[in-house]
Amino acid sequence: MPLLCRPAVAVPEHVITQADTLALAARLHPDHPQLPLVLRLIKNTGVIKRHIVRPVDETLQHTGFTHRNRVFESEAKKRLPPVISDALAHAGLRAEDIDIIVLVSCTGFMMPSLTSWMINELGFRTDTVQLPVAQLGCAAGTAAINRASDYCVAHPGANALIVSCEFCSLCYQPDDHDVSSLLSNGLFGDAVAAAVVRGDGEGTGVRLHAQTSHVLPGTSAWIAYEVKDTGFHFRLDKGVPGTMQQMIPRLNAFIEKNGLRLPGLDFYVVHTGGPRVLDAMRTHGGVPDAGLADSRHTLSHHGNVASAAVFDVLRRTAESRPRDGAGGVIAGFGPGVTMELALGTWQTGTVPQVPLPAAAGGEA
């Protein structure tokens, strides 16, 4: 069975606090008819601070979709090499040992993909398979884990590299007064992450046993981007908070099919979609508060970093050193409304340390 090794995660150096966000919302939208609701929703996110790739003053200026996409490309090429290097080191591998790169992002667009740039510039083999995924939003982190696992099962001994690049702040829309857009201004943050899936199952991390996907019927437009000349405009239906209650039975069925119970797992790597996602895991799924501590910490200190969220939560879980054989679930939720799940057990192993070339690029 493939092994998901300890991930590497980096957040940008620019910080915006909840207090900053509330003050900006009140100053920029003083006449908004639903301003009190917006401020209350932002307070209820539980996000203390977030990290963004540009200073706040620059972020607030819409410089055009073309320029923002150029910023996405330049920031990605600067910030991804160090986390990729760290992820390879955690797995005891070199770039040339990777057989497939699964890239996930929903906050910028490039063609050719960043995977092509990685192969050209970061030492990966020219026959490395490329799998860029752009439209699964927050669910893409777990989906990438599942697709990487699929590849390693289909190609015994293969190694997969997962890369997540999310600069949500580049989607800020100063003239969008939709409540869901204003809420997103206080929820989403920026981050890059990388993790290796080893096909030989060696090393330290989550040994992947089972996976599943589920789309909740009738909700395809509930979490969405409205694509305009100005870029991506976030849209969130008021029914979204209730979708978790509908997803929990599917989650339970998947776990019980594999001989386990949701409340009885040892660790929970749950995407930080917002406090209601985590509250539903507790109230409707029976997950203990302690099991959600890593997710809540990521939410409060980084916000919702889209596909990178599950990797930051998993990083925190790894730091707590779970016991060998501890069972857990990795869960991501996103547009569709889509749920991606992976079930596995923790393994503490040793991997030979391979000297790695110095990473290109700047600090993350």
Side-chain angles (χ1 to χ4, degrees):
M1 287 172 284
L3 182 97
L4 173 62
C5 301
R6 181 162 58 99
V9 182
V11 293
E13 61 277 14
H14 304 292
V15 176
I16 181 168
T17 67
Q18 185 182 90
D20 296 332
T21 303
L22 292 169
L24 284 169
R27 176 169 65 84
L28 297 174
H29 308 284
D31 299 322
H32 195 290
Q34 294 180 287
L35 181 61
L37 170 64
V38 170
L39 297 178
R40 185 169 73 252
L41 290 173
I42 292 174
K43 288 179 182 178
N44 290 342
T45 61
V47 178
I48 298 171
K49 67 176 178 67
R50 295 165 291 143
H51 295 253
I52 54 181
V53 292
R54 296 183 297 170
V56 175
D57 290 345
E58 290 183 25
T59 301
L60 294 175
Q61 302 301 314
H62 199 315
T63 52
F65 192 27
T66 299
H67 178 260
R68 283 185 167 186
N69 214 54
R70 287 175 181 162
V71 172
F72 174 88
E73 180 175 352
S74 63
E75 292 291 339
K77 290 178 177 180
K78 178 175 72 172
R79 297 176 188 276
L80 284 177
V83 296
I84 291 172
S85 180
D86 287 347
L88 290 170
H90 293 166
L93 297 175
R94 302 163 298 178
E96 54 262 40
D97 298 320
I98 296 298
D99 300 286
I100 180 173
I101 302 173
V102 183
L103 170 72
V104 287
S105 178
C106 64
T107 53
F109 182 82
M110 291 175 58
M111 190 171 71
S113 167
L114 276 166
T115 52
S116 175
W117 173 79
M118 293 176 206
I119 291 169
N120 277 279
E121 301 296 333
L122 302 184
F124 296 97
R125 303 192 318 266
T126 56
D127 65 343
T128 304
V129 176
Q130 303 175 68
L131 182 58
V133 179
Q135 293 165 313
L136 279 177
C138 298
T142 311
I145 294 168
N146 291 341
R147 300 297 79 78
S149 176
D150 287 342
Y151 188 90
C152 291
V153 170
H155 302 81
N159 299 305
L161 173 69
I162 301 167
V163 178
S164 168
C165 181
E166 302 290 15
F167 302 142
C168 302
S169 64
L170 295 178
C171 298
Y172 171 69
Q173 300 292 346
D175 297 324
D176 191 341
H177 297 164
D178 185 89
V179 170
S180 58
S181 180
L182 296 176
L183 169 61
S184 74
N185 297 339
L187 176 62
F188 288 96
D190 299 348
V192 292
V196 170
V197 175
R198 287 187 62 125
D200 62 8
E202 297 295 325
T204 295
V206 180
R207 204 165 177 82
L208 300 167
H209 296 291
Q211 59 179 258
T212 194
S213 303
H214 180 71
V215 172
L216 193 63
T219 62
S220 59
W222 284 20
I223 303 174
Y225 274 161
E226 185 178 358
V227 183
K228 299 184 179 182
D229 291 342
T230 48
F232 305 136
H233 292 247
F234 184 69
R235 296 292 180 256
L236 190 70
D237 189 274
K238 63 181 180 181
V240 167
T243 58
M244 278 301 299
Q245 185 175 352
Q246 300 176 62
M247 285 291 196
I248 292 294
R250 297 284 183 175
L251 199 164
N252 272 320
F254 165 67
I255 292 175
E256 290 172 4
K257 181 181 177 181
N258 287 276
L260 299 168
R261 294 181 62 254
L262 180 60
L265 297 177
D266 299 299
F267 63 89
Y268 304 84
V269 178
V270 182
H271 162 67
T272 56
R276 291 199 178 184
V277 171
L278 304 179
D279 290 344
M281 292 290 288
R282 176 175 54 83
T283 57
H284 301 296
V287 176
D289 281 334
L292 298 168
D294 291 332
S295 291
R296 292 195 187 279
H297 198 270
T298 288
L299 178 63
S300 64
H301 289 77
H302 292 164
N304 182 347
V305 287
S307 66
V310 291
F311 299 106
D312 193 62
V313 178
L314 180 58
R315 176 184 64 83
R316 298 178 194 279
T317 300
E319 290 173 353
S320 69
R321 299 175 182 265
R323 60 173 176 80
D324 277 344
V329 65
I330 303 172
F333 308 91
V337 172
T338 301
M339 176 173 64
E340 287 277 343
L341 303 174
L343 197 62
T345 54
W346 189 264
Q347 171 180 297
T348 302
T350 57
V351 176
Q353 295 301 301
V354 179
L356 296 170
E363 294 182 357

